[in-house]
Amino acid sequence: MRWRGLSRIVLAATPIGSSRDATENLRDLLGQADVVAAEDTRTLRQLLRRIGVHPTGHVVSYHEHNERERAVELVERAQAGATVAVVTDAGMPSVSDPGFRVAAAAQEAGVRVSALPGPSAVLTALAVSGFPSDRFCFEGFVARKAGERRRAFAELADERRTMVFFESPHRIAATLADMAEAFGPERLVAVCRELTKPYEEVRRGGLGEVAAWAADGVRGEITVVVAGADPARRSVTAADVAPEVLAAVADGTRLKDAAAEVAVRHGLAKRDVYEAALAAR
C-alpha cells in the first residue's frame, strides 16, 4: 500500500519486545508517511535501525508533555493532505500511551483516523495468563501513591472480570502486597515480564505467594493479570466492617479516624462506615 498523501491519522502498533514482530505494513508506513509522530524519537530511531527502514517524512515528538498542542498541529497536517503516523515506544498508541488526543481531535475535525493493528502487551499478557478472556478490563498503570493504590484495589475487590494492569519493576512488590490485602492472598495472579523478549517470564500463582516472590526484586517491563472475583463472593457492607472500627477504637484510635481507615481498606464510604460503627456501639 502507498501511504504518502492520504490525508489521515494512522495509529500504528509497534513491537513490545522483539523487533521481528514489526509488520510489513508498519515498515511501509514508517518509511513513506509524510509525518511520523513518536513518543520518543530516540526509541523510534532504534526501531528503524533494527527493522531496516529509512523514513522519508518528517519525524516529530509526540508525548504526554506536548500531546495537547502537538495534536492540533498533526491534525492540521493531515487536513492539508499528509499521512501522519503516530507511534509509541511499544504497543498500540492511546492504550495508556499518547494517541487519544490526536484521534479525538481528528474525529472532531472530520479527518480520517485508521490503525495498523499489531503487538499489545495487554492482549499478550491476557492470552498467556490462562485466565478467562471472554470478559476483561484494562486498568492501566497502577497509582504510584500507596493510599490511592489501596483505594483503587478496594473498589475493584468485587470485580468479576479478569483485570490487566501495568506496573514498574520498582513498585511491583508493593503493588502485589496491596493486591493480596485487597483481593485476598489466594486470588490468582500472573505477573508477565519481558513479553516476547529472550528473558520472558510468566509467574502465576496466588497473590500472597507471588508477592513474596516479587519482594526479592523483579526486572523488566511488567504486565499484571489478576483473576476476577468469585461470583459467590458477597460484597462487604458498612455494617460488616463496623466491628473492625470498634476494635481499632478499643486500641485507642479515634472513632472518626478508625472509620476512615477501615472505609479506605474496603472501598466503602467513610460516612457510611462511621454511622454503622456508631449504631453498633
Side-chain angles (χ1 to χ4, degrees), residues 194-214:
E194 297 293 89
L195 289 170
T196 78
K197 298 178 182 178
Y199 296 103
E200 175 180 291
E201 179 181 16
V202 178
R203 176 69 64 150
R204 192 178 188 275
L207 272 165
E209 169 195 347
V210 178
W213 162 77

Side-chain angles (χ1 to χ4, degrees), residues 1-4 6 32 83:
M1 178 174 178
R2 302 294 298 178
W3 287 103
R4 187 173 293 279
L6 296 181
Q32 300 173 22
T83 295

Side-chain angles (χ1 to χ4, degrees), residues 16-18 128 191-203 213 217-223:
I16 60 176
S18 173
V128 301
V191 175
C192 309
R193 56 177 294 273
E194 297 293 89
L195 289 170
T196 78
K197 298 178 182 178
Y199 296 103
E200 175 180 291
E201 179 181 16
V202 178
R203 176 69 64 150
W213 162 77
V218 181
R219 295 181 179 181
E221 298 290 333
I222 298 171
T223 305

